[in-house]
Amino acid sequence: MKRAATFAVLLVWCAALLALRAMRTNNSLFFFLLWNLFLAVIPFVAAEIFARAQWRATRFASFVIWLLFLPNAPYILTDFIHLRDRPPVPLWYDVLLLFSCAGTGLLLGYGSVMLVQRAIARRYGVRTGWSVATLSILLSAFGIYLGRFVRFNSWEVVTDPMPLFADIAYRLTNPMQHPKTFAVTILYGIALLLGYLALHVLAEESEGTRYTSPRA
């Protein structure tokens, strides 16, 4: 409940910033961020369902949805590519807007990974949980590349899979012709993994402090 309430506050904050900007400029230039935030919510909801599900079919379906839509959460980080001075809105305001939306998306992604990791660790062990978390974050980095630079969407795995899989296969089998694919995937993957590890350590220390009694 606290997780949902926290993310609700963050999403309302982002929406308020967008609304203020729209009222000032009389245009909806950055409203695509609302769609991106909606897509970032999907893996978090799917992870919540996965963590609570009792039926194997429900766990499988929610896990697949989570994995397919997970890249949409950190993807908002790349929306900083749209940042430039756009009077009458000051640049610092757009920095705040993009930071708020990107941060919310990233936290939604990290939160969903934590939920899935813990659920898998309970069933299959800690190592398996960490393996799934690490692989999913690296795949998300690849998904960021596919979304930002090749312009594929998560749902195209179902609606139009052949061009997507053909493009992926071509890039994987011809790595020397696509250095940008691997550079973006590796660098974003490392950055996202480091961020997740840092958040995980901070969360563990916070829990340890909460349950440790002060010395007399």
Side-chain angles (χ1 to χ4, degrees):
M1 188 64 182
K2 288 182 179 180
R3 285 193 299 267
T6 299
F7 285 123
V9 170
L10 289 172
L11 290 168
V12 168
W13 167 249
C14 292
L17 289 174
L18 284 165
L20 286 173
R21 193 186 194 285
M23 287 188 290
R24 180 70 177 88
T25 61
N26 293 317
N27 67 57
S28 56
L29 178 64
F30 279 102
F31 272 29
F32 65 86
L33 290 169
L34 291 175
W35 174 249
N36 288 350
L37 285 169
F38 169 74
L39 293 177
V41 169
I42 293 175
F44 182 79
V45 173
E48 287 277 13
I49 295 172
F50 175 81
R52 300 165 185 257
Q54 299 298 320
W55 293 353
R56 183 174 299 178
T58 304
R59 289 200 302 268
F60 177 78
S62 58
F63 181 85
V64 170
I65 293 171
W66 167 75
L67 191 60
L68 287 178
F69 281 87
L70 180 60
N72 292 287
Y75 172 87
I76 307 178
L77 292 170
T78 67
D79 284 328
F80 272 96
I81 199 172
H82 301 291
L83 182 64
R84 61 180 63 90
D85 195 17
R86 302 175 189 271
V89 177
L91 183 62
W92 62 261
Y93 187 90
D94 283 344
V95 170
L96 175 64
L97 172 62
L98 288 167
F99 174 79
S100 297
C101 293
T104 299
L106 186 61
L107 288 173
L108 282 164
Y110 281 161
S112 75
V113 174
M114 281 188 176
L115 285 170
V116 171
Q117 179 183 354
R118 289 173 180 174
I120 290 178
R122 285 195 300 269
R123 294 188 178 98
Y124 306 107
V126 174
R127 288 186 178 180
T128 305
W130 270 109
S131 296
V132 171
T134 301
L135 183 60
S136 67
I137 290 173
L138 293 176
L139 288 174
S140 291
F142 183 53
I144 289 173
Y145 174 82
L146 292 176
R148 171 54 65 190
F149 299 104
V150 195
R151 308 308 294 171
F152 281 118
N153 297 300
S154 299
W155 53 86
E156 289 182 68
V157 171
V158 177
T159 61
D160 194 19
M162 293 308 296
L164 172 60
F165 292 142
D167 186 86
I168 292 174
Y170 181 73
R171 292 174 188 279
L172 293 178
T173 54
N174 298 274
M176 301 305 295
Q177 297 182 29
H178 300 282
K180 187 176 181 179
T181 302
F182 291 88
V184 171
T185 300
I186 292 170
L187 293 176
Y188 269 82
I190 292 173
L192 291 173
L193 273 174
L194 290 175
Y196 182 71
L197 288 171
L199 189 63
H200 202 278
V201 170
L202 291 172
E204 285 188 340
E205 289 188 351
S206 177
E207 290 179 1
T209 303
R210 185 188 308 170
Y211 296 111
T212 300
S213 300
R215 292 182 180 180

